[in-house]
Amino acid sequence: MLMLPLPEDPAARSILLMHEAWHRIQAGIGLAATHADQDQLETEQGRTALRLELRALAAALEATSAEQRRQAIADAMTFRAWRHARFPQAAAAEDAMERHEGIAEYTGRILAQDDALQARLATHLRRGDAVTAYARSFAYYTGPAYGVLLDGAAPGWRSRWNRQDGLPGLLAAALGMQADAGDAAFRRAGARHGLAEVAAAEQARARHQAGVVAALRARLVDGPVLAVPVNGASFSFDPNRVTPLPPQGSVYGVIRAAAAWGVLEVRGDGLLSTDWKRLSVAHAGVRQTAAGWEGEGWVLTLAPGWALQPGARHGDWTLRRLE
């Protein structure tokens, strides 16, 4: 299902259609859907390294010589290795999301048959450098970039792929590269891609974001909430508005969940648990409507036979099926 309006640009529309069509068949080709949290991409260090990686990947796609492309790819690998050395759990989580959303976006761009594929993808990566939240969106940038670079370095890689190895690892193996995760290598590579500018911007963002996260935690963890079960629900959400809130889960600025009990539409922050089994919204200001309930930034439409009941914690609410 695609939400209207569709992109007006024919290439963007084709990419979206093919991306979503791929999700329909991914399980059948050994690439099950995954929802790995990316807490490291909300940190100052994690974001700095990712933004530099996006810049290096764009430079690789725009390179006019094999030597320039190889250097840019090596820089991207350095930024990634440096990040994973500081967040050891991140390697598996990022690889998993790139196999899910990254391969979907890569497939969309390949099947769109865009004559300006590499140039358009480099522009996409440059835009990604300004994204405010990477926890759910990063693979839409890195996945297609590594896939297209693999097409050049190891033609036919898809038919040989075991569906488990990460795309950056496949590219490194194809080019015979060994990334250096040290600080000195990071600084040398960073000097080629604007490290000072990125680091300053991320320091400022980190100071601001500390207040944002504290406010979200006060509303959605410490304060009274309406929590609904969403195990097996159908979701739609904005991947560019996701803020990790470990260990409870991630806050989605826009998310819609549909299940047997009805539909919860959130336009003002909902906390989705790490296991994707519970969606919570702030209970403050809740009021009953003809179709269900409405709060600050959310609307709950209940299916027949369902009602609200007090939750386990004082002030919380949840759902129950009527007898």
Side-chain angles (χ1 to χ4, degrees), residues 48-277:
T48 297
L50 178 65
R51 288 184 59 189
L52 292 171
E53 184 180 355
L54 296 180
R55 292 182 176 201
L57 290 171
L61 291 166
E62 293 169 337
T64 56
S65 71
E67 181 180 358
Q68 289 177 344
R69 181 172 296 107
R70 185 178 179 87
Q71 180 63 72
I73 292 173
D75 290 345
M77 299 291 184
T78 293
F79 301 137
R80 196 176 185 96
W82 185 88
R83 180 170 69 253
H84 292 171
R86 281 141 191 84
F87 304 95
Q89 82 288 352
E94 290 180 12
D95 283 349
M97 192 55 70
E98 283 167 341
R99 286 192 295 267
H100 178 47
E101 293 294 1
I103 289 293
E105 186 68 9
Y106 162 79
T107 301
R109 289 178 179 273
I110 293 298
L111 294 184
Q113 298 181 342
D114 184 2
D115 292 337
L117 170 64
Q118 294 206 23
R120 192 183 290 267
L121 181 52
T123 299
H124 177 64
L125 288 162
R126 299 289 186 195
R127 290 181 184 138
D129 184 38
V131 167
T132 58
Y134 290 116
R136 184 73 201 195
S137 66
F138 84 98
Y140 290 79
Y141 302 96
T142 57
Y146 281 114
V148 169
L149 291 170
L150 266 167
D151 287 341
W157 65 273
R158 296 191 302 271
S159 62
R160 302 187 297 271
W161 187 28
N162 62 8
R163 307 294 200 272
Q164 298 298 320
D165 293 337
L167 302 185
L170 290 175
L171 183 58
L175 296 174
M177 289 183 175
Q178 184 67 43
D180 185 342
D183 287 338
F186 179 83
R187 288 193 296 270
R188 285 195 300 271
R192 290 187 281 270
H193 301 281
L195 171 57
E197 171 202 355
V198 173
E202 290 306 321
Q203 286 173 4
R205 180 187 182 277
R207 290 192 294 269
H208 169 76
Q209 198 66 8
V212 171
V213 169
L216 290 173
R217 191 172 295 280
R219 289 176 56 225
L220 299 171
V221 177
D222 302 330
V225 298
L226 165 64
V228 300
V230 292
N231 190 24
S234 297
F235 293 96
S236 61
F237 52 83
D238 184 348
N240 295 304
R241 294 184 58 187
V242 181
T243 302
L245 206 65
Q248 285 81 13
S250 294
V251 176
Y252 286 68
V254 175
I255 187 168
R256 179 184 189 274
W261 41 259
V263 177
L264 177 58
E265 296 190 66
V266 181
R267 291 292 184 272
D269 300 324
L271 175 59
L272 184 60
S273 63
T274 302
D275 58 8
W276 282 55
K277 291 184 178 180

Side-chain angles (χ1 to χ4, degrees), residues 6-17:
L6 295 177
E8 294 184 4
D9 176 64
R13 186 164 58 247
S14 294
I15 291 168
L16 175 62
L17 289 167

Side-chain angles (χ1 to χ4, degrees), residues 285-300:
V286 67
R287 52 195 175 277
Q288 191 168 14
T289 67
W293 299 83
E294 187 173 314
E296 295 179 4
W298 58 267
V299 175
L300 172 65

